[in-house]
């Protein structure tokens, strides 16, 4: 199983670049796509899902060019778009039956899988309710179910946890870990903790370009010794945050405990702490910004 | 087999989504009203000073002609939203990521369009049955002459209308207001052309076909028949007409075949539609951006929510004056939205 993205660019109307000469090679595992708003995550996913065509570049699935033979990838694809939508007057069973038929799953198998998936995403009790009455999170869970219908070899989920309550997010993270194995999962998110546990690789993307593609441990190593805990009086915050990259603040009785990401200790009192993926994300994104400004 | 299963589900989902919408109730109500109007004598078929006795054949043809005329134009605008619905609901992009072919998709939408129009035809056929019973001019219900016009004249026409709707939607320059106007002219042309040109083949609505048959029947009965043929809609006509008994169209194999050719024409149109269909990747990317879902509060202890504290400067709002301004702008925006949602014929009706 091999997904190769070679020099892919996408230009939207009005000279707006969604993606620029983006290259990435993937084999089985879970890839977490991280990047700020407008970085090009959804653009990349839409291209991989064959929903839109790149302006330039090539994508191959097991050496087959998916621009020329899109069905090659569509047959093994599960896709949850960022703005997932449904027919409001169907219920979840009807909607999933529809999707199953479109994906070419035969009837009896579809029926079984639909029941299992409704169980999996915890929507069984709402199976007969019109989807128009679903909450955002319930709809999102249906979207996850629909992406898993055909037991995809390539699962592309665009911000799958958006709108999920904390309990459902934990459920989804567990599901994700179980799903891994002989497949490629690509997941985008803003919530770094979503991919912290499960992702085998992280791709950082900003302004349509790939900043970094590495195992989470590698990313963490990159900021080792660059994260500090620093206690300051709360009135100093405005001046401090103009100078430093702050990845978190907690208010305690002795003042504000800041998490600062910096090459060197920001102040004599600051203690080095072990970095999280979130710190690494902020560090690399902000570094790319300053490099760009230069 | 696989394809039938797929087409069935494509059409089914679309059809169910449609008929469960409130607007479909409006359509049904309007159809029932049309059935009533024909029943009540607001629509009549006359041949000079003659008319047929309201037996099954006459009721069938009168009802069928009314149906074909009206539904072929109004029905087009009713069903011309199948692809657009998939754009609006954003279901289209999920379909685009499946092995579904453009042709399968267009065929599915065509079937769904056709099913909606067929339901309307069915309601009007039922109205025909009621009509004959109410008129009481011929007590005996004869199913064959009553229903064959619906099956062989109205339905093939609806198949073509359904296909035209798909084609207009998938051809980008016909999918908007221009297409709506263009269809109206196309419709008018298809109505007038067979009568004016006596062309026996390009007769979608079967009008020339019925006209010839009825004329021949009237001429055989009344030597002084002047050849006039008119389908009238309007205030109830209280003139006394001389009546004759019409037995219905003699459906020869050749006549049936001519009607069936329209199904092939419809499928051909669906092929054209499939050629032009953009598979939800419009160059213009008229994408509806979904409102962002609210982000839940993150409770995991280890990594705090990224909180780059911001100093926010918001321009304070003026107290009194802004209010009226915002009311009018909201009102304007709302009415614009409303008008966008309604089609022009909705307002006209
Ligand atoms: N349909 C479109 N037409 C024009 N420009 C677009 C379109 N979709 C995306 N873009 C642009 O392409 C860039 C990348 O957008 P994309 O949606 O891929 O970002 P993203 O990383 O998914 O962001 P987010 O985190 O907000 O979902 C942005 O600058 C955006 O403005
Ligand atoms: Mg996105």
């Amino acid at each position: 199983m091999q997904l190769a993205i070679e020099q892919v660019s996408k230009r939207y109307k009005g000279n707006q670049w969604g993606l620029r000469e983006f290259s990435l090679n993937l084999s089985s595992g879970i890839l977490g796509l991280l990047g700020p708003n407008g970085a090009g995550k959804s653009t990349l996913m839409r291209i991989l899902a064959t929903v839109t065509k790149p302006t330039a570049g090539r994508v191959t699935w097991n050496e087959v060019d998916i621009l020329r033979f899109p069905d090659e990838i569509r047959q093994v694809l599960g896709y949850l778009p960022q703005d997932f939508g449904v027919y409001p007057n169907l219920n979840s069973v009807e909607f999933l039956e529809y999707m199953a038929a479109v994906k070419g799953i035969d009837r009896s198998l579809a029926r079984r899988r639909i029941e299992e998936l409704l169980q999996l995403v915890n929507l069984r009790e709402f199976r007969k309710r019109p989807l128009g009455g679903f909450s955002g999170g319930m709809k999102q869970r249906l979207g996850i179910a629909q992406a898993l219908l055909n037991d995809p070899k390539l699962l592309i989920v665009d911000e799958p946890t958006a709108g999920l309550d904390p309990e459902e997010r934990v459920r989804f993270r567990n599901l994700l870990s179980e799903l891994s194995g002989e497949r490629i999962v690509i997941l985008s998110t803003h919530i770094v903790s979503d991919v912290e546990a499960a992702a085998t690789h992280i791709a950082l993307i900003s302004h349509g370009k790939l900043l970094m593609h590495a195992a989470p441990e590698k990313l963490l190593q990159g900021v080792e010794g660059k994260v500090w805990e620093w206690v300051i009086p709360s009135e100093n915050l405005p001046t401090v945050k103009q100078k430093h990259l702050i990845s978190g603040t907690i208010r305690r009785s002795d003042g504000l405990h800041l998490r600062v990401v910096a090459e060197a200790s920001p102040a004599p009192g600051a203690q080095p702490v072990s970095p999280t993926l979130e710190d690494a994300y902020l560090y690399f994104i902000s570094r790319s910004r300053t490099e760009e400004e230069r | 087999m696989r394809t039938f299963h797929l087409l069935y589900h494509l059409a089914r989902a679309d059809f169910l989504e449609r008929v469960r919408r409130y607007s479909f109730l409006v359509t049904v109500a309007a159809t029932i009203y049309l059935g009533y109007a024909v029943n009540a004598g607001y629509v009549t078929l006359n041949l000079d000073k003659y008319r047929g006795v309201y037996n099954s054949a006459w009721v069938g043809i009168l009802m069928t002609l009314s149906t074909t005329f009206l539904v072929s134009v109004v029905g087009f605008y009713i069903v011309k939203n199948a692809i657009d619905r998939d754009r609006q609901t954003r279901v289209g992009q999920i379909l685009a990521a499946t092995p579904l072919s453009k042709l399968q998709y267009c065929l599915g939408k065509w079937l769904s369009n056709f099913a909606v129009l067929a339901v309307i035809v069915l309601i009007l056929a039922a109205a025909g049955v009621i009509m004959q019973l109410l008129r009481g001019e011929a007590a005996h219900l004869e199913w064959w002459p009553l229903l064959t016009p619906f099956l062989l004249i109205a339905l093939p026409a609806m198949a073509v209308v359904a296909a035209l709707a798909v084609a207009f939607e998938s051809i980008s320059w016909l999918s908007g207001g221009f297409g709506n106007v263009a269809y109206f002219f196309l419709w008018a042309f298809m109505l007038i052309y067979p009568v004016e040109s006596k062309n026996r083949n390009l007769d979608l609505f079967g009008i020339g076909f019925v006209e010839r048959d009825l004329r021949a029947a009237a001429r055989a009965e009344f030597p002084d028949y002047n050849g006039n043929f008119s389908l009238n809609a309007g205030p109830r006509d209280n003139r006394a007409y001389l009546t004759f008994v019409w037995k219905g169209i003699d459906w020869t194999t050749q006549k049936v075949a001519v009607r069936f050719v329209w199904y092939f024409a419809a499928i051909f149109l669906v092929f054209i539609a499939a050629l032009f269909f953009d598979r939800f990747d419009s160059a213009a990317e008229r994408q509806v951006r979904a409102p962002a879902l609210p982000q839940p509060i993150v409770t995991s202890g280890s990594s705090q929510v990224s909180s780059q504290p911001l100093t926010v400067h918001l321009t304070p709002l003026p107290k009194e004056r802004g209010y009226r301004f915002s009311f009018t702008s909201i009102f304007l925006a709302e009415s614009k939205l409303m008008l966008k949602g309604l089609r022009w014929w909705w307002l006209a009706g």
Side-chain angles (χ1 to χ4, degrees):
Chain A
M1 229 171 348
Q2 179 100 37
L3 181 67
I5 305 162
E6 296 163 23
Q7 298 285 314
V8 167
S9 297
K10 172 76 183 179
R11 190 175 57 198
Y12 288 108
K13 279 249 161 109
N15 228 10
Q16 176 82 41
W17 289 91
L19 217 53
R20 279 189 145 166
E21 294 174 357
F22 192 99
S23 299
L24 193 60
N25 268 306
L26 297 174
S27 47
S28 56
I30 301 177
L31 175 78
L33 263 188
L34 297 178
N37 290 135
K41 304 181 294 293
S42 299
T43 302
L44 175 65
M45 291 175 134
R46 276 201 295 270
I47 290 172
L48 297 182
T50 70
V51 175
T52 195
K53 293 197 175 89
T55 315
R58 213 166 82 104
V59 180
T60 61
W61 169 254
N62 295 333
E63 326 257 286
V64 180
D65 188 340
I66 66 161
L67 284 177
R68 290 174 56 210
F69 306 100
D71 280 351
E72 207 59 34
I73 206 167
R74 285 171 184 159
Q75 252 140 24
V76 294
L77 177 70
Y79 175 50
L80 172 65
Q82 182 169 8
D83 47 357
F84 172 68
V86 293
Y87 288 165
N89 293 297
L90 297 192
N91 63 40
S92 30
V93 175
E94 286 166 339
F95 187 77
L96 290 175
E97 274 172 357
Y98 173 40
M99 284 302 142
V102 169
K103 291 183 174 198
I105 303 168
D106 80 50
R107 195 183 315 223
S108 57
L109 181 63
R111 201 161 290 162
R112 203 143 22 98
R113 274 196 80 81
I114 288 169
E115 286 311 315
E116 289 163 5
L117 284 167
L118 284 176
Q119 179 86 43
L120 193 71
V121 298
N122 220 357
L123 282 178
R124 211 158 182 183
E125 52 181 313
F126 306 113
R127 60 209 300 281
K128 294 286 173 194
R129 201 198 278 183
L131 302 178
F134 268 29
S135 72
M138 284 157 76
K139 225 176 271 173
Q140 194 72 358
R141 273 141 64 193
L142 183 71
I144 295 166
Q146 120 349 91
L148 293 174
L149 264 176
N150 55 337
D151 195 17
K153 286 270 157 247
L154 174 63
L155 177 65
I156 298 178
V157 283
D158 201 348
E159 297 191 25
T161 55
L164 297 192
D165 62 40
E167 199 184 337
E168 288 299 334
R169 285 195 10 198
V170 171
R171 219 179 144 88
F172 176 77
R173 274 184 239 168
N174 294 340
L175 168 67
L176 202 62
S177 322
E178 279 166 36
L179 277 177
S180 55
E182 262 310 289
R183 73 179 100 223
I184 298 178
V185 180
I186 303 177
L187 174 151
S188 79
T189 182
H190 295 118
I191 303 160
V192 182
S193 56
D194 276 347
V195 290
E196 213 152 30
T200 49
H201 283 87
I202 304 275
L204 286 185
I205 158 171
S206 177
H207 294 292
K209 290 194 188 123
L210 181 68
L211 293 185
M212 184 167 283
H213 174 218
E217 297 79 16
K218 265 267 153 38
L219 248 71
L220 289 173
Q221 279 164 24
V223 283
E224 196 68 60
K226 290 178 182 147
V227 186
W228 313 84
E229 185 169 88
W230 182 18
V231 187
I232 58 161
S234 34
E235 62 270 20
N236 290 0
L237 184 63
T239 43
V240 168
K241 78 179 181 202
Q242 273 173 5
K243 275 197 228 135
H244 296 285
L245 181 61
I246 296 169
S247 80
T249 43
I250 303 172
R251 197 179 294 277
R252 295 263 164 78
S253 54
D254 57 343
L256 275 181
H257 287 231
L258 301 184
R259 244 184 125 76
V260 179
V261 185
E263 301 283 348
S265 173
Q271 294 294 317
V273 286
S274 61
T276 64
L277 215 48
E278 179 112 19
D279 300 323
Y281 168 81
L282 286 173
Y283 175 73
F284 288 113
I285 293 288
S286 86
R287 196 178 67 174
S288 86
R289 261 192 210 126
T290 44
E291 269 166 19
E292 223 157 74
E293 276 159 20
R294 253 188 265 138
Chain B
M1 196 52 226
R2 186 73 164 263
T3 309
F4 280 115
H5 175 66
L6 168 63
L7 289 182
Y8 164 74
H9 273 280
L10 270 172
R12 172 180 182 254
D14 196 70
F15 181 76
L16 287 180
E17 174 59 28
R18 273 176 158 152
V19 300
R20 288 176 187 167
R21 288 193 173 198
Y22 173 71
S23 56
F24 188 72
L25 277 184
V26 178
T27 306
V28 169
T31 309
I32 291 174
Y33 179 77
L34 173 64
Y36 161 80
V38 181
N39 261 327
Y42 292 108
V43 181
T44 53
L45 185 60
N46 305 310
L47 302 149
D48 181 20
K49 48 188 190 282
Y50 309 105
R51 70 161 172 86
V53 169
Y54 279 83
N55 61 2
S56 294
W58 189 260
V59 167
I61 210 69
L62 169 59
M63 217 37 153
T64 298
L65 288 182
S66 320
T67 303
T68 317
F69 276 178
L70 239 102
V71 182
S72 60
V73 62
V74 179
F76 173 84
Y77 299 108
I78 290 176
V79 298
K80 203 200 104 184
N81 56 9
I83 299 178
D84 190 48
R85 182 172 31 258
D86 282 354
R87 275 190 227 286
Q88 296 304 326
T89 58
R90 287 172 262 117
V91 170
Q93 54 180 339
I94 318 170
L95 300 178
T98 67
L100 183 68
S101 76
K102 290 183 183 186
L103 180 61
Q104 288 166 333
Y105 177 82
C106 289
L107 281 171
K109 292 296 168 190
W110 170 60
L111 285 175
S112 169
N113 283 354
F114 184 49
V116 169
L117 296 177
V119 166
I120 296 176
V121 170
L122 195 76
I123 292 171
L124 289 165
V129 174
I130 295 169
M131 179 173 189
Q132 194 195 336
L133 297 177
L134 287 181
R135 285 292 169 123
E137 286 186 14
H140 201 60
L141 267 182
E142 294 166 283
W143 295 109
W144 178 261
L146 182 64
L147 296 183
T148 39
F150 287 101
L151 289 177
L152 296 169
I153 296 175
L155 282 187
M158 292 309 138
V160 172
V161 171
L164 280 171
V166 178
F168 271 58
E169 265 198 287
S170 61
I171 299 171
S172 61
W173 52 275
L174 284 176
S175 62
F178 172 73
N180 288 345
V181 176
Y183 179 78
F184 189 80
F185 283 103
L186 179 65
W187 173 78
F189 169 78
M190 290 193 298
L191 210 59
I192 295 163
Y193 179 75
V195 181
E196 293 298 314
S197 75
K198 312 280 182 252
N199 182 324
R200 279 156 192 260
N201 296 320
L202 203 70
D203 184 10
L204 176 59
F205 303 133
I207 172 90
F209 185 82
V210 171
E211 187 197 8
R212 274 193 304 279
D213 204 298
L214 282 173
R215 274 207 180 117
R219 201 164 285 135
E221 198 89 10
F222 311 104
D224 66 334
Y225 168 55
N226 68 0
N228 248 340
F229 172 90
S230 60
L231 182 71
N232 312 299
R236 203 192 301 247
D237 179 3
N238 287 321
R239 273 183 293 167
Y241 288 94
L242 296 173
T243 59
F244 67 104
V245 174
W246 184 57
K247 288 281 191 320
I249 295 169
D250 175 25
W251 287 106
T252 59
T253 326
Q254 195 252 340
K255 285 181 187 167
V256 173
V258 165
R259 294 307 296 165
F260 262 87
V261 168
W262 287 109
Y263 284 105
F264 292 101
I267 290 171
F268 176 73
L269 282 168
V270 177
F271 268 85
I272 306 246
L275 282 181
F276 283 90
F277 177 48
D278 67 2
R279 210 188 158 94
F280 303 107
D281 184 19
S282 49
E285 294 269 338
R286 277 189 307 171
Q287 203 185 15
V288 197
R289 288 236 126 189
L293 293 170
Q295 297 286 334
I297 307 148
V298 183
T299 50
S300 68
S302 67
S303 69
Q304 300 94 11
V305 196
S306 156
S307 57
Q308 196 82 306
L310 273 179
T311 325
V312 185
H313 294 287
L314 292 178
T315 314
L317 296 173
K319 284 228 169 76
E320 279 293 320
R321 294 214 328 186
Y323 196 73
R324 203 176 331 156
F325 165 72
S326 73
F327 172 77
T328 38
S329 67
I330 287 173
F331 176 77
L332 284 176
E334 287 283 333
S335 24
K336 223 187 261 171
L337 275 179
M338 261 172 60
L339 289 175
K340 252 192 203 161
L342 298 177
R343 293 183 190 275
W344 58 268
W345 51 263
W346 220 100
L347 290 173

